[in-house]
Amino acid sequence: MIGTSKPEYYFILVCIIGLHYLAPIALLYTLINLILHGFNIKATAYGVPLIIEIIAVAESLFFLCVFLPYKSYLQREAKHPNPPSRDEREELFRLCNENISDPEVYLRKWFLGAELEDIRKDNVKEFFLWAFFNRGGPPGDDEDELDEMVSATETLLGQPIEDGRGSAKCLRLTLDEVKMLHRSLVWYMCVGFVDFLTYMKLLYHGFHFHRTKLTRFFTLFPFRWQSLFTKYHSPAKHTTYWHRPHTSTTRLPVVFVHGIGIGYYPYTNFLNEINSTAGLGSNDPNEQIGIIAIEIMPVAFRITHHALSKDELCAEIDQILLQHFSPSQKFVLASHSYGTVISTHLLKTPSIAKRIGPILLVDPVSFLLHLPDVAYNFTRRQPKHANEHQLYYFASMDIGVSHTLSRHFFWNENIIWKKDLEGRKVTASLSGKDLIVDTLAVGRYLGGRSESTFSGYTDEEPEPVSLDRSDSEPSLLRLRGGGADSVEPHDDWKYRTWKGTGIEVMWHKDLDHAQVFDNATCRRKLISVLRAYCESG
């Protein structure tokens, strides 16, 4: 993730404009040529390099014949999972309400910043139908339960909610339109080139790429030509991965899942340094920590199959694990951002959960997922700063990412609570300037009680706490982001010593989402924790 400086802002805008408007310009150029010259190649090529003509025609055909039909196809309704049972809904609703620090901001942000007077009972019921019943439409037989939920919300707000329907519109991720922006062929050529660089770097670092069957070669674009040259095969139908053999007899291997982005390129140094960082790694080839790095192609800026359901993906990952580990082999589970959603699914799959040892979650999005920040900041926030424009154009509006989040991201399946991690060693790495996650809320949730232990790995020195801050400012001022710059007297969890037991937090005050992998010092701190987990089991 880039920063927020003016040069970075202008740089990212130039990149976006150049990539986004290439297709319309190519289409206009091709249309004018057809009108003036028809299909006379010699006439259209006069004075213009042939490569320009080829790019213009290719971009035009790609936009008309691939993007527009595919965009329409992806608008199909989501196949929602069965809703939780009534008892499960009541427990989920209770946990959500117990972890809402500002009920007014919570409700207004789910309703895209609407005023409270515009949010009425029917609006709230519509939101709860999506959130807890996995559907839209009229309340039907669920009216009484919805009334109870609305009543509990009124108690939480400390004021009644007006009857009827207001003008507010709520965010219902899997029911709303799938919003996406066109990607040029030039962009996909860049993605393919970065993918090749990743392939070469990981090969150099001792990893082997495991492809799916060659009959699936054309199901992913840009094509991965390296698939034609690897001798290693994935046992799964859809899921590819990287593998570094585990030779240590005293340490646990690592399973890693990446986040939304361009694949494993941003993680190559991290994966390599698990074994090679000076002072941390071992030069003994018989004491290397094995690594399986799972690829999630639908969120890796490709055109490919739709995101698998949690059960399908867990089954495929289990096939991969059993190919390299014995059924009783424990492993350290590490993941980043969207990958923490996959980690949540693995932890909720009993056959896999019993083999999961310590856990490292970097920039986790699964904690407090009932809060609107992740959904709002990733899909609805209008970008202003350079990092927000980067997130919006290159991630949020990507075809595969947008479809995955809008049709395959079911928050009540993806959320994880502290009670789900009881008895486990878990470290969550949080960044103070995270533009997606409300990291202060997550940190306070994980570290607000005495039974948890917390990390001394912090980039922030303790500052005197000022209690003169006015709390009378309008709540809407806090709708813009996670509020990670606010000061509270109970934030001592940022400075406690990491012990390697229980649920722990690493705090990086000045880093944004994913920047921990770019910062060598902070990256080594992650690796120190990971290696300690591998050694302690």
Side-chain angles (χ1 to χ4, degrees), residues 384-398:
K384 296 180 180 178
H385 306 293
N387 57 345
E388 293 174 357
H389 278 283
Q390 181 189 17
L391 177 74
Y392 178 79
Y393 181 79
F394 291 99
S396 303
M397 292 295 106
D398 176 79

Side-chain angles (χ1 to χ4, degrees), residues 229-284:
F229 305 106
T230 182
K231 63 180 181 180
Y232 300 97
H233 301 173
S234 170
K237 179 179 179 181
H238 303 90
T239 307
T240 54
Y241 63 98
W242 289 91
H243 174 242
R244 179 168 177 163
H246 183 66
T247 60
S248 175
T249 57
T250 58
R251 300 179 178 93
L252 298 183
V254 172
V255 174
F256 185 78
V257 189
H258 65 79
I260 290 172
I262 202 163
Y264 270 107
Y265 187 77
Y267 308 96
T268 52
N269 289 333
F270 171 77
L271 293 173
N272 174 51
E273 290 170 5
I274 291 173
N275 280 294
S276 66
T277 298
L280 294 176
S282 170
N283 294 322
D284 185 347

Side-chain angles (χ1 to χ4, degrees), residues 177-425:
E177 176 190 1
V178 182
K179 296 183 179 181
M180 60 187 70
L181 293 175
H182 174 258
R183 296 290 184 272
S184 68
L185 275 174
V186 170
W187 165 248
Y188 285 116
M189 289 173 62
C190 293
V191 171
F193 178 69
V194 172
D195 189 38
F196 177 73
L197 290 181
T198 304
Y199 176 78
M200 297 305 295
K201 287 187 70 173
L202 288 177
L203 273 185
Y204 179 76
H205 293 320
F207 287 82
H208 305 304
F209 175 63
H210 290 247
R211 61 167 174 82
T212 53
K213 292 182 179 179
L214 288 179
T215 53
R216 296 191 57 79
F217 179 82
F218 293 105
T219 63
L220 185 142
F221 183 80
F223 305 127
R224 306 184 86 180
W225 300 103
Q226 57 265 34
S227 296
L228 303 178
F229 305 106
T230 182
K231 63 180 181 180
Y232 300 97
H233 301 173
S234 170
K237 179 179 179 181
H238 303 90
T239 307
T240 54
Y241 63 98
W242 289 91
H243 174 242
R244 179 168 177 163
H246 183 66
T247 60
S248 175
T249 57
T250 58
R251 300 179 178 93
L252 298 183
V254 172
V255 174
F256 185 78
V257 189
H258 65 79
I260 290 172
I262 202 163
Y264 270 107
Y265 187 77
Y267 308 96
T268 52
N269 289 333
F270 171 77
L271 293 173
N272 174 51
E273 290 170 5
I274 291 173
N275 280 294
S276 66
T277 298
L280 294 176
S282 170
N283 294 322
D284 185 347
N286 296 318
E287 284 299 317
Q288 296 291 294
I289 294 173
I291 303 167
I292 293 177
I294 304 293
E295 291 189 318
I296 311 296
M297 285 291 104
V299 296
F301 300 167
R302 271 71 165 189
I303 297 177
T304 185
H305 62 85
H306 63 74
L308 303 181
S309 70
K310 66 179 183 65
D311 292 333
E312 290 172 325
L313 183 57
C314 287
E316 293 207 350
I317 291 176
D318 199 21
Q319 287 179 294
I320 293 168
L321 297 178
L322 292 174
Q323 173 147 310
H324 299 282
F325 304 150
S326 70
S328 60
Q329 173 68 64
K330 280 187 172 288
F331 58 88
V332 176
L333 178 61
S335 55
H336 174 241
S337 192
Y338 180 85
T340 63
V341 171
I342 311 303
S343 293
T344 297
H345 296 164
L346 296 176
L347 285 163
K348 294 181 179 179
T349 304
S351 61
I352 300 176
K354 64 185 180 182
R355 289 176 271 158
I356 297 175
I359 302 166
L360 174 63
L361 304 172
V362 185
D363 298 330
V365 298
S366 287
F367 293 113
L368 302 186
L369 199 51
H370 67 290
L371 299 180
D373 299 272
V374 171
Y376 178 85
N377 292 339
F378 205 96
T379 68
R380 295 297 185 270
R381 176 178 54 198
Q382 291 301 308
K384 296 180 180 178
H385 306 293
N387 57 345
E388 293 174 357
H389 278 283
Q390 181 189 17
L391 177 74
Y392 178 79
Y393 181 79
F394 291 99
S396 303
M397 292 295 106
D398 176 79
I399 294 174
V401 173
S402 180
H403 184 253
T404 296
L405 297 183
S406 297
R407 292 296 179 264
H408 299 276
F409 190 90
F410 307 109
W411 80 272
N412 51 37
E413 282 190 344
N414 300 339
I415 195 168
I416 193 166
W417 303 96
K418 282 201 295 185
K419 66 182 182 64
D420 300 321
L421 300 173
E422 288 179 358
R424 293 185 178 274
K425 300 175 184 178

Side-chain angles (χ1 to χ4, degrees), residues 23-39 44 53 56-57 59-61 64:
I25 291 172
L27 191 62
L28 180 62
Y29 174 80
T30 303
L31 181 61
I32 291 174
N33 263 335
L34 286 174
I35 293 173
L36 295 178
H37 307 291
F39 292 95
T44 58
E53 299 283 346
V57 173
E59 289 284 3
S60 301
L61 290 174
L64 295 173

Side-chain angles (χ1 to χ4, degrees), residues 21 290 305 309 429 462 465:
Y21 290 100
H305 62 85
S309 70
S429 172
V465 176

